[in-house]
Amino acid sequence: MKFFVDTADVKEIRELNEIGLLDGVTTNPSLIMKSGRSIKEVTKEICDIVEGPVSAEVTALDYEGMMKEADILSKIADNICIKVPLTFDGLKACKAITGDGRKVNVTLCFSANQALLAAKAGATFISPFIGRLDDLAIDGMELIADIRTIYNNYGFQTEILAASIRTVNHVREAALIGADVATVPPATLKALVKHTLTDKGIEAFMADWAKTGQSIA
């Protein structure tokens, strides 16, 4: 599974990238707002840090506006992935943009039918939102499973990018089902390393080591 980090916080991105954990980054208008910076400026800096795709989202809702914004965003860096909403205009833009050889992330997916349409339109990534479905007492993982089955049935190359991930269990379940990518908030990505038995084991080893009176250095 590939790991993308869902943030526009350059400090967090740089730290995770240096560890070798990042395959890409996803941003959206809300994350850009939180950064307090210009979308072009912060996105360019992110693209300079990460080699993989960096999703930058259009804000226009009509086809012509999306295409105009996509052209502007694409010029920021070679690894920009244009993010469009799952609407008819968004699918039309997706078809045109991928037709030009550029990557597209179709976002705000909440049904398998929507995911099927995105794949037909040539989406590079489809972003089903797990957490927001869970908020409505709908199992978001069932959507991931349905999309995986449909894509496997017909050989679609669109990658399933599990989004709106809020817990470490979301990551585990998405990986077991076969999502290609998980885009994860920095705190959740860091939490994947944690386990109480690991902490207890380190504590016991350190206590025993202290009793030896030795030093490796």
Side-chain angles (χ1 to χ4, degrees), residues 129-141:
F129 277 40
I130 298 168
R132 295 195 190 185
L133 284 172
D134 287 353
D135 290 343
L136 298 177
I138 300 170
D139 188 351
M141 287 303 161

Side-chain angles (χ1 to χ4, degrees), residues 6-9 26-39 42-43 46 55-59 83 107-108 129 132:
D6 194 35
T7 185
D9 186 323
T26 55
T27 69
N28 59 47
S30 296
L31 293 173
I32 295 297
M33 180 197 70
K34 289 178 183 178
S35 77
R37 300 175 61 187
S38 154
I39 183 173
V42 70
T43 304
I46 293 169
S55 290
E57 188 166 347
V58 299
T59 57
K83 200 172 184 182
T107 190
L108 292 170
F129 277 40
R132 295 195 190 185

Side-chain angles (χ1 to χ4, degrees), residues 12 14 27 36 42 57 81 85 99 119-120 123 191:
E12 294 274 18
R14 196 181 302 278
T27 69
V42 70
E57 188 166 347
C81 177
K120 294 283 287 184

Side-chain angles (χ1 to χ4, degrees), residues 62-94:
D62 63 294
Y63 170 75
E64 289 77 13
M66 289 182 191
M67 293 303 296
K68 181 179 180 180
E69 292 182 0
D71 286 340
I72 294 170
L73 293 172
S74 293
K75 291 181 173 66
I76 293 175
D78 292 337
N79 55 331
I80 285 289
C81 177
I82 303 300
K83 200 172 184 182
V84 300
L86 217 163
T87 62
F88 272 113
D89 280 319
L91 293 175
K92 184 178 178 181
C94 173

Side-chain angles (χ1 to χ4, degrees), residues 127-180:
S127 291
F129 277 40
I130 298 168
R132 295 195 190 185
L133 284 172
D134 287 353
D135 290 343
L136 298 177
I138 300 170
D139 188 351
M141 287 303 161
E142 289 185 4
L143 174 57
I144 301 295
D146 287 348
I147 297 172
R148 180 75 282 160
T149 298
I150 291 170
Y151 284 8
N152 288 350
N153 282 348
Y154 300 102
F156 288 120
Q157 298 303 305
T158 299
E159 295 189 42
I160 301 171
L161 196 165
S164 187
I165 285 179
R166 296 174 181 170
T167 68
V168 294
N169 282 339
H170 276 162
V171 178
R172 177 182 62 82
E173 291 172 20
L176 285 170
I177 292 168
D180 301 286

